[in-house]
Amino acid sequence: MSRAQIWALVSGVGGFGALVAATTSNEWKVTTRASSVITATWVYQGLWMNCAGNALGSFHCRPHFTIFKVAGYIQACRGLMIAAVSLGFFGSIFALFGMKCTKVGGSDKAKAKIACLAGIVFILSGLCSMTGCSLYANKITTEFFDPLFIEQKYELGAALFIGWAGASLCIIGGVIFCFSISDNNKTPRYAYNGATSVMSSRTKYHGGEDFKTTNPSKQFDKNAYV
């Protein structure tokens, strides 16, 4: 099994796990925490819930009660992240079938095609996640630096960075899987001429013996005794 496929599998599966963590996280955007430790309260929101907490350690979360009243960019990010997680799951399955160490998947040529398919799926998963996180971050930064925006302003949450990291890992793993086809196509071809060389040497050896054994017999013909 090639090391490139091992690194690709680790990168792809690790990126898939990061995408799952980012999608289910509630810290996509957070408010700036107050300077006072006693009265410090903050709000953080995700794709599925809105949460509020304070410095005493208590927090409360409530889900988005309706789909139609959710902002359009949140719905778009939901769809992109769900697509990214789904593609990452199928990419992990295809990657396991395309590994050289597994006994399923058919011949090496078929495994190479499956590995290439896994790489393409991982790349699409990373692009979906990268697009969703970037769209959400663009909305946050636009509202934060807009002087006419008077509502609560938020900052980038930890889930966005986890999503970007997972997307990068998926893309890297997918690229490595796509380039691993060249390693699978390089089948070693050995020109083994040992058997023919041994046979030819034996033939020469036996021929020499025949020559040596037959030549002395020619010396002792009937003319030699006359």
Side-chain angles (χ1 to χ4, degrees):
M1 182 174 57
S2 63
R3 294 182 179 179
Q5 286 190 341
I6 296 176
W7 285 109
L9 181 64
V10 172
S11 179
V13 174
F16 167 67
L19 295 184
V20 174
T23 305
T24 57
S25 176
N26 294 323
E27 294 189 14
W28 280 65
K29 61 181 180 179
V30 296
T31 57
T32 304
R33 301 188 180 185
S35 58
S36 177
V37 179
I38 300 176
T39 61
T41 59
W42 59 89
V43 177
Y44 49 96
Q45 297 182 6
L47 298 178
W48 316 101
M49 290 187 179
N50 297 331
C51 300
N54 53 31
L56 300 177
S58 62
F59 63 94
H60 175 72
C61 295
R62 66 176 181 84
H64 299 293
F65 294 108
T66 180
I67 299 178
F68 299 103
K69 289 185 178 181
V70 178
Y73 74 96
I74 296 180
Q75 295 183 3
C77 292
R78 282 180 177 181
L80 289 170
M81 294 306 295
I82 291 174
V85 171
S86 301
L87 289 172
F89 173 76
F90 288 110
S92 302
I93 300 298
F94 292 150
L96 292 176
F97 281 99
M99 298 291 289
K100 291 182 179 180
C101 61
T102 57
K103 296 182 179 179
V104 293
S107 61
D108 292 339
K109 187 176 181 180
K111 283 180 176 291
K113 293 181 180 179
I114 296 175
C116 180
L117 178 61
I120 294 173
V121 173
F122 272 131
I123 292 174
L124 292 177
S125 175
L127 291 177
C128 288
S129 176
M130 190 75 70
T131 304
C133 294
S134 300
L135 178 63
Y136 202 96
N138 179 63
K139 182 66 175 179
I140 295 173
T141 54
T142 301
E143 293 178 351
F144 188 86
F145 293 105
D146 187 5
L148 301 177
F149 187 77
I150 59 176
E151 297 182 7
Q152 178 66 53
K153 295 185 178 182
Y154 295 89
E155 295 181 356
L156 302 180
L160 291 174
F161 299 99
I162 297 174
W164 281 324
S168 301
L169 288 176
C170 286
I171 293 174
I172 292 173
V175 171
I176 296 175
F177 265 122
C178 290
F179 279 103
S180 66
I181 301 178
S182 59
D183 297 334
N184 291 331
N185 290 333
K186 292 179 180 179
T187 56
R189 297 179 180 178
Y190 301 101
Y192 180 72
N193 297 324
T196 57
S197 61
V198 172
M199 292 300 294
S200 61
S201 62
R202 288 183 178 179
T203 305
K204 293 179 181 179
Y205 179 74
H206 288 297
E209 284 185 347
D210 294 341
F211 179 78
K212 291 180 181 180
T213 55
T214 55
N215 284 339
S217 63
K218 291 182 180 180
Q219 297 177 0
F220 298 99
D221 53 359
K222 59 182 179 179
N223 294 326
Y225 294 96
V226 176

